[in-house]
């Protein structure tokens, strides 16, 4: 791909709340640069295709100089939808309904990601990178990547960035410092209520957050639960789940992968564990602190994992193992 070749970006669930909030910023030049044309592949289930016509009209009506094309696909034709795409944002999935257990959701959404993985492998560009947003995103990512063995594992990310951004906001508010002062915030484990937002390694104005925020009971208590329960709090207040902030986090994930990470900072995403980092077993898609050089990423070394952090990480890893066991029959 040359610098001015169009970048093709596929978004599933494109007519949903997160998809809608994602597309315009992808088209605007904000993410891939003012000189990189973007071709969007919008993907939806057949009954929702008409809504994509309206979204296309709105994209046209923005007259973005960077938008070089909009293509619409239904989810019955995934290979066409993913043909030659360089980035895929997998949002499309069935949301959890009242009375539905997490395990039910996993069983309903899992099969969507089986066919998605196969189609990405069959049709996407050689440099494809994938961000899984649809929940349960870690396990959906594990399923999809398992059905695309020829796509290198380091191309797959499940989204824990919204949790990172929520943690940054909490630390900023508690310390009275701007969000730009907060760095090195990692989310370990599952994107769920068991996740561990890591305050031990977080920094405020370059200093340990634990030295700036002296209320350690808050860090170990309300800070963690507020981040873990933030999605539910938004639903309660707004009557709908996080959408603009989730779209923003998906786009932050893409930006963090394709741009170098600032020295001393990290970004958060769930990636394939190869068993070589922080004692976390291989074969799970789990949140880690990452750094990127703009092309390749790695798990950030040198994070301190004290006894408190270890017990938190163990809990969320146990949940991920349980989720993996729930979908074992979907893993080749
Ligand atoms: P939504 O219900 O507004 O939109 C989902 C869209 O996906 C719908 O338009 C639906 O028609 C479409 N869809 C369903 N199955 C599909 C398939 N097989 N192929 C293509 N499209 C399909 O939901 P919303 O609010 O946009 O959320 C989407 C997902 O993102 C949910 O699973 C939600 O739990 C998850 N989410 C994840 C977050 C994270 O931090 N990882 C944060 C917030 C939401």
């Amino acid at each position: 791909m040359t610098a001015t070749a169009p970048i093709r970006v596929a978004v599933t669930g494109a007519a949903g709340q997160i998809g809608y909030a994602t597309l315009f910023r992808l088209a605007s030049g904000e993410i891939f640069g003012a000189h990189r044309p973007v071709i969007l592949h919008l993907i939806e289930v057949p009954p929702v295709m008409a809504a994509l016509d309206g979204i296309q009209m709105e994209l046209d009506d923005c007259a973005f100089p960077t938008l070089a094309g909009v293509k619409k696909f239904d989810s019955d034709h995934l290979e066409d939808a993913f043909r030659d795409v360089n980035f895929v944002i997998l949002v499309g999935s069935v949301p959890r309904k009242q009375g539905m257990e997490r395990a039910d959701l996993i069983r309903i959404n899992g099969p969507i990601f089986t066919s998605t993985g196969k189609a990405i492998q069959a049709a996407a560009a050689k440099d494809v990178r994938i961000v899984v947003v649809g929940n349960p995103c870690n396990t959906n990512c594990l399923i999809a990547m398992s059905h695309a063995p020829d796509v290198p594992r380091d191309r797959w990310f499940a989204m824990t960035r919204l949790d990172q951004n929520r943690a940054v906001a909490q630390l900023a508010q508690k310390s009275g410092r701007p969000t730009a002062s907060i760095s090195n915030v990692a989310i370990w484990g599952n994107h769920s209520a068991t996740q561990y937002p890591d305050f031990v390694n977080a920094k405020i104005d370059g200093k340990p957050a634990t030295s700036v925020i002296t209320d350690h009971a808050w860090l170990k208590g309300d800070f963690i639960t507020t981040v873990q329960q933030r999605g539910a709090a938004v639903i309660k207040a707004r009557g709908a789940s996080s959408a603009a902030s989730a779209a923003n986090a998906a786009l932050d994930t893409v930006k963090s992968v394709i741009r170098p990470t600032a020295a001393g900072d990290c970004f958060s995403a769930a990636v394939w564990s190869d068993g070589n980092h922080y004692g976390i077993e291989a074969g799970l898609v789990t949140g880690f602190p990452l750094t990127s050089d703009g092309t390749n990423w790695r798990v950030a070394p040198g994070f301190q994992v004290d006894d408190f952090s270890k017990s938190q990480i163990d809990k969320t890893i146990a949940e991920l193992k349980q989720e993996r066991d729930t979908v074992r029959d979907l893993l080749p």
Side-chain angles (χ1 to χ4, degrees):
M1 204 168 52
T2 63
T4 50
I7 185 161
R8 290 180 181 269
V9 186
V11 179
T12 68
Q17 351 171 53
I18 296 173
Y20 184 75
T22 303
L23 299 173
F24 297 85
R25 290 177 62 191
L26 283 171
S28 71
E30 175 198 340
I31 311 303
F32 299 106
H35 302 291
R36 169 59 64 87
V38 175
I39 298 175
L40 291 176
H41 290 212
L42 315 185
I43 306 164
E44 262 296 348
V45 290
V48 181
M49 291 303 289
L52 293 185
D53 295 338
I55 292 175
Q56 181 169 21
M57 288 182 222
E58 284 205 82
L59 283 163
D60 287 347
D61 295 347
C62 291
F64 289 122
T66 39
L67 185 58
V70 176
K71 291 169 172 285
K72 295 165 289 183
F73 302 92
D74 70 57
S75 54
D76 292 339
H77 297 89
L78 284 180
E79 285 194 26
D80 296 338
F82 293 130
R83 181 87 50 219
D84 298 330
V85 295
N86 310 102
F87 255 103
V88 179
I89 305 181
L90 296 175
V91 185
S93 54
V94 176
R96 189 162 164 180
K97 302 192 179 77
Q98 202 150 18
M100 199 187 268
E101 295 297 326
R102 196 174 169 80
D104 299 336
L105 186 72
I106 293 171
R107 292 296 322 170
I108 291 169
N109 281 333
I112 295 176
F113 290 84
T114 306
S115 48
T116 299
K118 287 180 184 159
I120 289 172
Q121 169 160 305
K126 286 281 164 269
D127 65 354
V128 68
R129 283 178 280 197
I130 306 102
V131 178
V132 181
V133 176
N135 277 323
C137 62
N138 300 55
T139 297
N140 290 340
C141 183
L142 177 66
I143 294 169
M145 75 195 301
S146 302
H147 289 272
D150 297 343
V151 178
R153 288 191 165 125
D154 66 0
R155 308 287 184 74
W156 296 86
F157 307 88
M159 189 168 98
T160 52
R161 182 54 175 266
L162 180 54
D163 309 301
Q164 176 190 337
N165 289 348
R166 288 166 170 167
V168 166
Q170 291 304 311
L171 294 172
Q173 285 170 18
K174 181 74 174 177
S175 62
R177 302 294 301 142
T179 52
S181 297
I182 317 293
S183 61
N184 221 38
V185 176
I187 303 296
W188 298 87
N190 202 1
H191 167 69
S192 76
T194 67
Q195 65 173 278
Y196 173 48
D198 180 348
F199 57 84
V200 174
N201 295 281
K203 294 181 217 158
I204 302 177
D205 296 314
K207 297 190 280 278
T210 49
S211 71
V212 178
I213 297 174
T214 51
D215 182 354
H216 289 186
W218 179 82
L219 286 170
K220 288 184 169 178
D222 284 354
F223 165 67
I224 294 178
T225 50
T226 300
V227 176
Q228 288 173 335
Q229 304 293 338
R230 187 67 159 185
V234 169
I235 291 176
K236 191 161 175 237
R238 199 174 88 88
S241 59
S242 306
S245 57
N248 178 65
L251 297 169
D252 276 351
T253 308
V254 173
K255 285 193 275 189
S256 291
V257 168
I258 63 175
R259 296 178 193 174
T261 310
D265 201 358
C266 74
F267 68 97
S268 212
V271 295
W272 167 262
S273 170
D274 62 7
N276 293 325
H277 301 283
Y278 297 104
I280 294 175
E281 70 173 70
L284 297 169
V285 171
T286 174
F288 276 115
L290 308 178
T291 60
S292 174
D293 64 9
T295 307
N296 299 305
W297 60 265
R298 63 176 187 151
V299 176
F303 269 58
Q304 189 195 334
V305 179
D306 61 13
D307 288 347
F308 177 80
S309 300
K310 174 140 187 5
S311 71
Q312 298 285 319
I313 293 170
D314 285 349
K315 261 187 256 171
T316 189
I317 293 298
E319 184 186 50
L320 279 174
K321 282 158 72 170
Q322 214 169 39
E323 285 189 12
R324 179 198 54 198
D325 292 344
T326 307
V327 298
R328 244 207 223 280
D329 59 313
L330 300 177
L331 301 173

